[in-house]
Amino acid sequence: MEFAELIKTPRADNAVLHGPRCPAVRGTLCLTGHHLIFSSRRRERGEELWLLHANIDCVEKRFAGSLGTIVIKCKDLRIIQLDIPGMEECLNIASSIEALSTLDSVTLMYPFFYRPMFEVVEDGWRSYLPEQEFELLSSVTDEWRLSCVNKEFSVCPSYPPVVTVPKSIDDEALRKVALFRYGGRFPVLSYYHKKNGMVMMRSSQPLTGTNGRRCKEDEKLINATLRPGKRGYIIDTRSLNVAQQARAKGGGFEQEVYYPQWRRIHKCIERFNILQESLIKLVEACNDQSHNMDRWLSKLEASNWLTHIKEILTAACLAAQCIDREGASVLVHGTEGTDSTLQVTSLAQIILDPRCRTIRGFEALVVREWLQAGHPFQLRCAQSAYSNTKQKWEAPVFLLFLDCVWQILRQFPCSFEFNEQFLIMLFEHAYASQFGTFLGNNENERSKLKLQQKTMSLWSWVNRSEELGKFKNPLFEANSLVIWPSVAPQSLQLWEGVFLRWNRPSKFLDEAQEEMLNIINYNRELQAKVNALRRQLAELETDDRMQENL
Amino acid sequence: MHIWQHSFQMPNSDRYLRGDDCFSEVIEMLLRASCSAEILHHHIAAVEKLPLTTSGCPLVIQCKNFRIVHFVVPRERDCHDVYNSLLQLSRTAKYEELYAFSYNPKQNESEQVKGWQLIDLAEEYKRMGVPNDYWQLSDANRDYKICETYPRDLYVPRTASKPIIVGSSKFRSKGRFPVLSYYHKDKKAAICRCSQPLSGFSARCLEDEHMLQAISKANPSNRYMYVMDTRPKLNAMANRAAGKGYENEDNYSNIRFQFVGIENIHVMRSSLQKLLEVSGTKGLSVNDFLSGLESSGWLRHIKAVLDAAVFLVKAIAVESASVLVHCSDGWDRTSQVCSLGALLLDSYYRTIKGFMVLIEKDWISFGHKFSDRCCQLDGDPKEISPVFTQFLESVWNLMEQFPQAFEYNEAFLLQIHEHVHSCQFGNFLGNCQKEREELKLKEKTYSLWPFLLDEQKKYQNPLYSPDFSPELTLLEPNTVSFNFKFWRNMYHQFDRSMHPRQSVYDLIMNMSEQNKQLEKDIKELEAKIKQKNGQPDAVLMKEHQQSAHPAPMALKTPPCFKKEQPLIPVNDAVRTIEGSNTADNRYSEFMEEFSKAEPAVVSLEYGVARMTC
């Protein structure tokens, strides 16, 4: 196998591992094609460490005499240090890890080699199909249809083969609209609010350019979603300024004259490298425990992370508000319609739709609004906070979304079927995984890679009852309400479960969590027992009465 | 919502906003009408008139429990009158006019006496293990002759004779000589407290040196002792010019001297002021909030206080060394550090009763000037300072780090904070024990503690486990900056829209309460069943029945079956989502246009004024 060429030294004895929050362990380090494995001799104490090469964000080497030290910074933000005796061995291992963690070809990634050790009960690749989603929709309205205009990915390369569009718009019109929208991303249905029949659509920016091009089909398409006499809102996730500048590059925004029934609202959600910088600064601040209070707070502020959270949440709340409170339909877009647009549409659904707060509903949301909607996971999640190679297209867009969900979860801790661990798991798998789910940038690439045939779906693993238990929120009680989160700065918090996960001792917090679970479980047990006893007593009493009657 | 409306029977309302003039009656009516926003006069920290608007004259009342209430009074003259009467009412000149002296909780005299006896400090010192071979009760201050601001009963080393005590007290600011605050039985080490020495640039006092020596000799485990000056070094040095200062290591044998740098009451006061300005800003951005939080310095001060306590605890737990703590007068920072140190060392202070004892000992009896610091009477505004609030916030921070180590919960801290300012109970009135005795508080007022104990269910931490881990006897908090958070539930206690809409904590609390009830039910049911089964024919019948037709049984509803489902409802209010209102949150600049139907201002029936909470 070609990996063998990359592994210069497959094994190093007498290495010392310094992990976060645990004492140093001596043991043997092994490199395989996809894993870095460290096993200590004292088996009873330390478990083996299996680290996916794909999880490695950056490798640093240091030398002191003949003792080499490799610092490995992971995409899940963990930092581990390996002391390796022998300068040459150390260098070899470091360069091997570097090579293995930066493989060019997707098909060399672990998911293509991973063989599941569990029985597949349900094929996750087939768990969330657009057709099923449409079936649900058609049970409440007949104003929409599934279009296969993109069957060959020729109309819009980043859209899935089937999309939901207004019934009155034919495929020919869709083709024309696609030419008028950036990347061919014509407006499609994102969410249907059963309560009042209002909808949320998403697209990319219209290509109006400087001379104000228009497209009748586009106008017709989005007007088709309005009820007679009703107005709608277009939420542009860019500031007015940015949107105006986009015209110079052929992009733009919907002009009032051509869209008189729509009111445009600009919200400013940052993109790309600004977000990446923000993540890097935040993680840097969190990893330095020596900061005094002022420095910590100013670093936290300078990272702007919580500002981004607030902006995204605010825009999502606004969209939800338009739909639920104003009874208006909404179209959301930014520039490409693959990043901030998806943050807004998916979060709005979490606020509005109780189904999205269940485990399967949330998975369906991730599939629908992120994977099928063409969020370029492979580009965005190629590197995380430690990487030195800063590429323009890397950005923690999905992590920000998960963070926002966590903020809502914290404010409504009984309204979600899943827990924080579930969100952290999704964060980890988006960046490095044995499953194929997050590979590729859109459905087109995924079908070319034949992921369905060659890799395992994350959902096949997660949805097994053995795994689900870990991700279930014991306090969950389904409620059908719209949940409005607070976006006041005093209500937003740093997501410690991700950003301070490796930096703070969590023993006491974990134990408290466990105690909480015990109380809940004990409560259930007692309830069941009381019910059983009451039934038994009732039976006895009936017996008595019957006997009396006899 | 006014927190103690839930806790106690509504006290007679004389002390609520009501004056002789009709305007405050209007106000009172308004307050009553609008979601029971009762405000005690004593809670009013500041009243402010804002510039006239089209709808009327806005009036803002800031309360000491961090509640802010806005009024709009239509006529400016009325507003002015209301403003003046509020100012007058909130300024009390004499202790006897405070609420505690008229508050009548319908207790008889013996209950009142018993209430005051609930916390017995002599008993507490016995619990610590003093008097013993090294420490004894001194009667030197029996008549408050040596130190007016200390309690009568003081514990000192056996070897400290009366002349030493007298001499030492003359060398200490306000006569506050070194005395025992906490004794650690296992380590035989002591936390002692005092005020700064009157050392100036070179003065020394042999008795004081003997006193410190006596303290270090009273500890057989370590002959060295620490002297912690909790002030920043610069402040302490500046004090030398005024004939005060700090201990010179050369003059005292076996001491290790250490500054820990907690700022003075004035810095703390303005820090809180800044914090409240920031948190009270409408439409605050995240960065303005964080930079405001930073520049207020508030969390830095909290960290400094906890860091000092951690230093103290290390000296005792690791080195078995005794520690003498002082600041300037030894009643602010010293109280903070001594009490937090004891709380970290001794799990007793993490129980509900123990926390009361701790406050009685290190704060009330040792003369923390509650009256001045909380501005109970109209006095010098420069004496006001949130020193005790900082202590409570430090405890809250510890509760966040050790969720299972405390018997009490956040609500307990908030309730105590409420009553430190409410002047409803006698405990916190006055500045020292001598003053309290002169006011005859034990006869004329009631003690807070029995009331809190009566409703302790509300203050119990459902996750508390007193002995789940032996290492928890000693708490070793992590004081890395990121562990300190803004205490939203204190500073925004009344801004419901900012809080999580569902509380895991309340839910668990209810469940654990319910579990106790269920356990009882099970016992009762089992007893009943046993009794029934005791009748042999019933057993027979039962078996017969079960095999014959079990199904119809379940369908019938015999009398005792009624409660089957749902059992005891887990307080529904906890689960429902309150305040889920888009108008609470400013999602958009288009808000005004959007939220016509839900004005953020509550209109009242009289049409005279509008109010927002």
Side-chain angles (χ1 to χ4, degrees):
Chain A
M1 203 163 64
E2 45 217 305
F3 295 119
E5 297 159 22
L6 299 174
I7 304 171
K8 291 180 191 152
T9 303
R11 173 191 166 113
D13 291 320
N14 261 326
V16 177
L17 170 79
H18 307 264
R21 304 196 329 252
C22 58
V25 217
R26 189 173 291 278
T28 303
L29 174 77
C30 293
L31 294 184
T32 71
H34 293 104
H35 285 99
L36 177 155
I37 303 160
F38 185 92
S39 55
S40 77
R41 267 172 246 145
R42 287 171 301 167
R43 277 293 164 80
E44 74 281 2
R45 278 204 55 207
E47 298 157 43
E48 282 188 346
L49 168 81
W50 283 66
L51 188 69
L52 211 53
H53 291 316
N55 192 0
I56 295 171
D57 206 23
C58 137
V59 184
E60 287 164 14
K61 321 177 263 282
R62 281 198 297 253
F63 290 97
S66 67
L67 184 76
T69 295
I70 303 178
V71 178
I72 296 174
K73 300 181 174 177
C74 304
K75 289 176 189 166
D76 61 12
L77 308 182
R78 174 174 27 169
I79 297 178
I80 58 171
Q81 186 189 321
L82 287 164
D83 297 337
I84 293 162
M87 171 118 57
E88 199 188 326
E89 269 190 314
C90 179
L91 274 174
N92 282 344
I93 283 175
S95 69
S96 312
I97 297 174
E98 239 164 293
L100 289 164
S101 61
T102 52
L103 296 175
D104 288 331
S105 167
V106 183
T107 50
L108 290 179
M109 304 286 260
Y110 188 49
F112 286 92
F113 299 84
Y114 170 71
R115 290 293 159 262
M117 303 289 280
F118 57 87
E119 192 195 347
V120 178
V121 186
E122 173 193 335
D123 180 9
W125 289 115
R126 309 203 48 82
S127 291
Y128 307 105
L129 300 175
E131 290 81 3
Q132 296 165 353
E133 202 63 37
F134 183 74
E135 220 165 275
L136 284 176
L137 177 69
S138 43
S139 67
V140 285
T141 172
D142 58 356
E143 293 163 348
W144 298 83
R145 69 181 183 96
L146 271 187
S147 163
C148 298
V149 68
N150 198 38
K151 205 165 57 193
E152 312 292 331
F153 303 106
S154 54
V155 176
C156 172
S158 63
Y159 267 174
V162 280
V163 288
T164 310
V165 294
K167 203 168 203 171
S168 56
I169 306 297
D170 60 22
D171 283 358
E172 203 40 51
L174 291 179
R175 282 196 189 91
K176 282 189 185 147
V177 177
L179 293 174
F180 181 65
R181 292 274 173 178
Y182 185 95
R185 294 176 68 93
F186 54 88
V188 295
L189 180 75
S190 160
Y191 170 67
Y192 181 88
H193 197 44
K194 276 185 220 150
K195 196 167 123 194
N196 59 9
M198 293 302 131
V199 297
M200 181 161 56
M201 290 181 302
R202 54 176 157 76
S203 68
S204 60
Q205 64 176 345
L207 303 173
T208 56
T210 39
N211 47 11
R213 243 180 87 208
R214 65 186 284 197
C215 169
K216 289 259 172 65
E217 287 79 5
D218 190 74
E219 292 155 26
K220 197 178 152 207
L221 167 57
I222 75 166
N223 282 339
T225 66
L226 290 179
R227 295 281 160 81
K230 279 273 189 181
R231 274 160 59 106
Y233 289 90
I234 294 173
I235 296 177
D236 194 323
T237 61
R238 306 162 293 179
S239 68
L240 180 61
N241 214 354
V242 173
Q244 275 165 344
Q245 282 163 8
R247 287 193 297 198
K249 290 181 206 154
F253 51 87
E254 295 82 357
Q255 278 169 316
E256 287 84 354
V257 261
Y258 303 138
Y259 300 84
Q261 285 154 290
W262 293 82
R263 158 131 205 205
R264 213 177 56 244
I265 304 176
H266 289 275
K267 288 263 125 188
C268 180
I269 298 179
E270 293 294 351
R271 300 153 23 96
F272 299 144
N273 53 331
I274 292 179
L275 300 181
Q276 189 72 10
E277 282 298 318
S278 172
L279 174 67
I280 290 170
K281 279 188 195 157
L282 176 69
V283 170
E284 208 177 86
C286 291
N287 281 348
D288 191 341
Q289 310 223 1
S290 67
H291 286 325
N292 64 29
M293 187 59 72
D294 289 1
R295 196 154 169 73
W296 157 246
L297 287 173
S298 78
K299 287 230 159 196
L300 183 62
E301 181 200 341
S303 80
N304 274 325
W305 185 263
L306 288 170
T307 301
H308 299 314
I309 296 286
K310 184 176 155 83
E311 278 164 0
I312 296 165
L313 269 176
T314 307
C317 289
L318 177 68
Q321 194 182 352
C322 290
I323 293 171
D324 187 68
R325 295 291 163 108
E326 301 301 307
S329 285
V330 173
L331 169 67
V332 184
H333 71 73
T335 306
E336 292 91 349
T338 54
D339 296 282
S340 55
T341 305
L342 304 182
Q343 289 173 330
V344 173
T345 56
S346 52
L347 285 168
Q349 291 181 52
I350 283 170
I351 293 166
L352 292 170
D353 186 0
R355 188 169 67 110
C356 295
R357 299 173 222 142
T358 64
I359 289 181
R360 293 194 77 98
F362 189 77
E363 289 172 1
L365 181 78
V366 169
V367 171
R368 203 167 66 232
E369 290 297 302
W370 290 87
L371 292 162
Q372 291 168 357
H375 174 67
F377 276 99
Q378 200 171 306
L379 289 176
R380 298 284 181 266
C381 302
Q383 302 286 323
S384 123
Y386 301 119
S387 157
N388 304 318
T389 57
K390 283 172 195 146
Q391 303 283 5
K392 185 183 176 289
W393 49 78
E394 283 152 11
V397 178
F398 188 63
L399 176 58
L400 276 163
F401 159 70
L402 293 176
D403 196 333
C404 290
V405 176
W406 178 79
Q407 305 280 353
I408 307 178
L409 170 67
R410 261 196 62 261
Q411 294 189 26
F412 298 91
C414 307
S415 299
F416 289 81
E417 192 189 1
F418 50 87
N419 59 16
E420 180 180 3
Q421 290 312 313
F422 184 67
L423 298 173
I424 295 174
M425 179 274 293
L426 287 176
F427 157 60
E428 289 175 341
H429 282 276
Y431 280 85
S433 174
Q434 66 270 44
F435 303 107
T437 300
F438 290 106
L439 291 183
N441 288 308
N442 47 51
E443 291 298 276
N444 188 5
E445 288 185 22
R446 284 184 202 109
S447 80
K448 279 184 190 145
L449 288 167
K450 296 202 168 54
L451 292 181
Q452 295 208 19
Q453 294 84 31
K454 294 188 174 166
T455 73
M456 178 62 55
S457 161
L458 173 65
W459 318 123
S460 307
W461 171 72
V462 173
N463 288 338
R464 294 156 59 248
S465 52
E466 297 94 312
E467 299 302 327
L468 273 183
K470 286 185 279 187
F471 302 127
K472 277 203 168 135
N473 173 9
L475 294 171
F476 175 58
E477 209 162 77
N479 77 64
S480 57
L481 297 168
V482 176
I483 52 176
W484 300 107
S486 160
V487 293
Q490 293 95 323
S491 306
L492 302 178
Q493 276 193 0
L494 177 69
W495 191 5
E496 298 183 16
V498 165
F499 298 108
L500 298 179
R501 182 180 177 189
W502 311 105
N503 302 331
R504 55 152 200 195
S506 63
K507 177 170 172 273
F508 297 117
L509 303 181
D510 294 345
E511 282 171 356
Q513 193 69 31
E514 210 167 289
E515 176 63 20
M516 213 150 84
L517 264 177
N518 288 342
I519 291 175
I520 296 167
N521 290 335
Y522 186 47
N523 184 266
R524 292 203 179 129
E525 238 170 72
L526 289 177
Q527 296 239 19
K529 192 159 179 201
V530 166
N531 278 340
L533 286 175
R534 286 207 173 124
R535 206 166 290 132
Q536 196 184 340
L537 187 63
E539 278 168 18
L540 286 173
E541 279 175 358
T542 333
D543 292 354
D544 287 357
R545 256 194 312 270
M546 287 177 89
Q547 207 168 24
E548 277 164 29
N549 292 343
L550 283 172
Chain B
M1 207 158 296
H2 202 268
I3 197 161
W4 56 259
Q5 203 200 344
H6 304 290
S7 26
F8 306 123
Q9 283 215 311
M10 273 309 296
N12 83 42
S13 56
D14 282 356
R15 290 283 155 178
Y16 286 94
L17 286 170
R18 184 199 271 171
D20 304 51
D21 61 286
C22 58
F23 298 111
S24 45
E25 265 170 43
V26 171
I27 293 278
E28 190 208 13
M29 271 190 296
L30 288 173
L31 288 170
R32 288 195 174 284
S34 57
C35 62
S36 63
E38 314 270 355
I39 301 172
L40 265 175
H41 295 148
H42 307 320
H43 264 145
I44 296 177
V47 190
E48 196 186 352
K49 266 196 328 178
L50 299 181
L52 197 66
T53 66
T54 47
S55 53
C57 195
L59 196 65
V60 181
I61 303 178
Q62 266 186 34
C63 301
K64 291 174 190 165
N65 53 6
F66 308 119
R67 173 180 211 166
I68 297 175
V69 185
H70 294 254
F71 291 99
V72 181
V73 186
R75 281 172 41 204
E76 196 183 4
R77 240 193 54 211
D78 293 354
C79 179
H80 191 72
D81 290 347
V82 169
Y83 173 76
N84 282 337
S85 14
L86 281 178
L87 276 189
Q88 269 174 19
L89 285 166
S90 63
R91 284 187 193 147
T92 315
K94 283 196 301 198
Y95 281 117
E96 284 77 7
E97 290 168 12
L98 291 174
Y99 184 30
F101 286 91
S102 56
Y103 171 61
N104 181 2
K106 300 195 182 81
Q107 275 191 350
N108 62 36
E109 215 168 286
S110 79
E111 282 173 314
Q112 184 179 20
V113 171
K114 248 175 80 191
W116 280 111
Q117 286 165 347
L118 184 69
I119 306 296
D120 179 358
L121 289 184
E123 200 56 41
E124 167 58 11
Y125 283 98
K126 222 185 270 168
R127 187 195 68 87
M128 288 182 209
V130 286
N132 59 21
D133 292 351
Y134 303 101
W135 295 88
Q136 66 178 3
L137 177 64
S138 158
D139 58 3
N141 203 38
R142 267 285 137 82
D143 307 309
Y144 298 115
K145 283 219 174 97
I146 294 182
C147 175
E148 289 203 330
T149 57
Y150 266 173
R152 291 176 188 271
D153 290 347
L154 293 167
Y155 292 81
V156 294
R158 272 192 193 278
T159 51
S161 62
K162 186 129 186 208
I164 289 181
I165 293 175
V166 173
S168 168
S169 81
K170 287 190 174 136
F171 188 64
R172 293 278 166 179
S173 174
K174 308 274 194 315
R176 294 170 69 92
F177 62 98
V179 294
L180 182 76
S181 159
Y182 176 75
Y183 183 74
H184 196 289
K185 243 187 286 183
D186 297 345
K187 305 278 182 189
K188 298 195 165 49
I191 301 177
C192 295
R193 55 185 292 167
C194 62
S195 61
Q196 65 182 335
L198 304 174
S199 52
F201 289 101
S202 58
R204 49 190 290 193
C205 166
L206 281 178
E207 288 92 342
D208 193 62
E209 288 161 26
H210 278 303
M211 186 73 199
L212 264 65
Q213 208 163 26
I215 293 174
S216 65
K217 278 191 181 148
N219 179 352
S221 335
N222 191 334
R223 64 198 185 92
Y224 279 102
M225 72 181 277
Y226 283 92
V227 175
M228 274 174 81
D229 190 327
T230 56
R231 300 168 292 182
K233 189 172 181 185
L234 258 175
N235 300 19
M237 283 169 71
N239 262 304
R240 289 200 298 190
K244 299 165 188 172
Y246 53 92
E247 290 81 357
N248 183 341
E249 263 182 324
D250 300 338
N251 297 341
Y252 294 84
S253 49
N254 300 339
I255 71 159
R256 287 178 186 149
F257 187 83
Q258 178 76 34
F259 287 111
V260 290
I262 303 173
E263 298 288 351
N264 64 27
I265 57 167
H266 311 295
V267 175
M268 300 309 191
R269 178 179 57 245
S270 73
S271 170
L272 179 65
Q273 193 72 41
K274 282 183 207 152
L275 180 80
L276 295 179
E277 264 166 42
V278 173
S279 67
T281 309
K282 286 261 183 294
L284 191 64
S285 79
V286 173
N287 281 356
D288 286 348
F289 174 64
L290 289 175
S291 69
L293 196 58
E294 180 197 338
S295 66
S296 77
W298 185 253
L299 291 182
R300 188 180 68 217
H301 300 315
I302 301 289
K303 176 170 152 61
V305 171
L306 254 185
D307 273 332
V310 169
F311 179 88
L312 182 156
V313 164
K314 275 199 183 132
I316 291 186
V318 180
E319 299 179 48
S320 302
S322 291
V323 184
L324 174 65
V325 184
H326 72 73
C327 46
S328 296
D329 290 322
W331 49 43
D332 293 309
R333 291 167 268 199
T334 302
S335 293
Q336 288 177 330
V337 175
C338 289
S339 55
L340 282 170
L343 183 92
L344 292 172
L345 286 166
D346 192 334
S347 57
Y348 175 65
Y349 298 123
R350 290 171 234 142
T351 63
I352 289 181
K353 177 89 182 288
F355 194 62
M356 297 171 178
V357 169
L358 186 66
I359 291 174
E360 280 284 346
K361 175 167 71 73
D362 273 313
W363 291 87
I364 296 174
S365 89
F366 276 116
H368 172 68
K369 303 202 289 175
F370 277 106
S371 177
D372 288 357
R373 297 289 177 263
C374 305
C375 193
Q376 292 169 349
L377 299 182
D378 195 18
D380 183 359
K382 286 211 173 84
E383 283 286 317
I384 303 172
S385 190
V387 177
F388 187 71
T389 307
Q390 288 183 319
F391 162 69
L392 292 179
E393 183 160 337
S394 306
V395 177
W396 173 75
N397 264 300
L398 294 172
M399 282 167 36
E400 289 283 290
Q401 274 194 50
F402 305 97
Q404 296 193 266
F406 292 82
E407 188 190 10
Y408 42 90
N409 59 18
E410 187 182 30
F412 187 58
L413 303 182
L414 292 174
Q415 186 71 327
I416 290 173
H417 182 260
E418 177 86 10
H419 284 297
V420 166
H421 293 97
S422 74
C423 301
Q424 186 181 357
F425 297 94
N427 308 61
F428 303 104
L429 299 192
N431 285 320
C432 59
Q433 293 297 58
K434 183 165 179 262
E435 207 174 355
R436 285 182 197 109
E437 283 173 19
E438 286 163 5
L439 288 169
K440 299 203 169 39
L441 289 179
K442 291 196 175 173
E443 293 148 49
K444 295 182 174 169
T445 71
Y446 295 85
S447 167
L448 167 66
W449 309 127
F451 291 87
L452 292 184
L453 271 187
D454 269 356
E455 46 183 33
Q456 62 171 309
K457 262 186 192 167
K458 281 202 281 191
Y459 307 127
Q460 261 160 1
N461 170 8
L463 303 178
Y464 175 56
S465 100
D467 42 27
F468 89 113
S469 153
E471 54 204 288
L472 266 187
T473 323
L474 171 71
L475 294 189
E476 296 174 90
N478 181 338
T479 57
V480 176
S481 298
F482 56 57
N483 276 318
F484 293 85
K485 278 165 231 147
F486 174 71
W487 193 3
R488 190 183 50 214
N489 288 357
M490 171 66 97
Y491 303 104
H492 290 289
Q493 195 183 349
F494 300 96
D495 301 329
R496 305 211 67 140
S497 68
M498 270 182 203
H499 299 284
R501 309 309 158 83
Q502 297 163 320
S503 162
V504 173
Y505 197 84
D506 290 352
L507 207 62
I508 296 294
M509 211 153 98
N510 275 314
M511 256 188 202
S512 105
E513 200 51 45
Q514 192 193 40
N515 284 356
K516 284 179 206 147
Q517 182 61 42
L518 287 171
E519 279 170 351
K520 242 168 69 193
D521 287 0
I522 287 176
K523 271 201 193 117
E524 275 169 28
L525 285 167
E526 277 173 344
K528 272 188 198 164
I529 289 171
K530 205 171 165 195
Q531 197 190 353
K532 290 242 179 265
N533 283 345
Q535 306 159 359
D537 48 356
V539 179
L540 266 175
M541 270 317 282
K542 185 184 167 253
E543 276 163 15
H544 163 72
Q545 272 299 332
Q546 270 184 340
S547 53
H549 29 202
M553 287 304 105
L555 293 174
K556 279 193 182 173
T557 324
C560 73
F561 219 62
K562 258 184 288 177
K563 266 166 68 187
E564 160 90 29
Q565 286 230 329
L567 291 162
I568 310 145
V570 174
N571 187 357
D572 270 341
V574 181
R575 285 196 189 259
T576 45
I577 301 167
E578 319 159 17
S580 268
N581 188 339
T582 50
D584 294 343
N585 311 302
R586 299 165 52 87
Y587 296 143
S588 162
E589 60 271 30
F590 295 87
M591 267 317 297
E592 291 76 41
E593 183 184 326
F594 274 4
S595 54
K596 288 158 286 186
E598 311 157 278
V601 205
V602 183
S603 308
L604 292 168
E605 41 191 325
Y606 296 92
V608 263
R610 298 187 302 159
M611 168 188 154
T612 54
C613 296

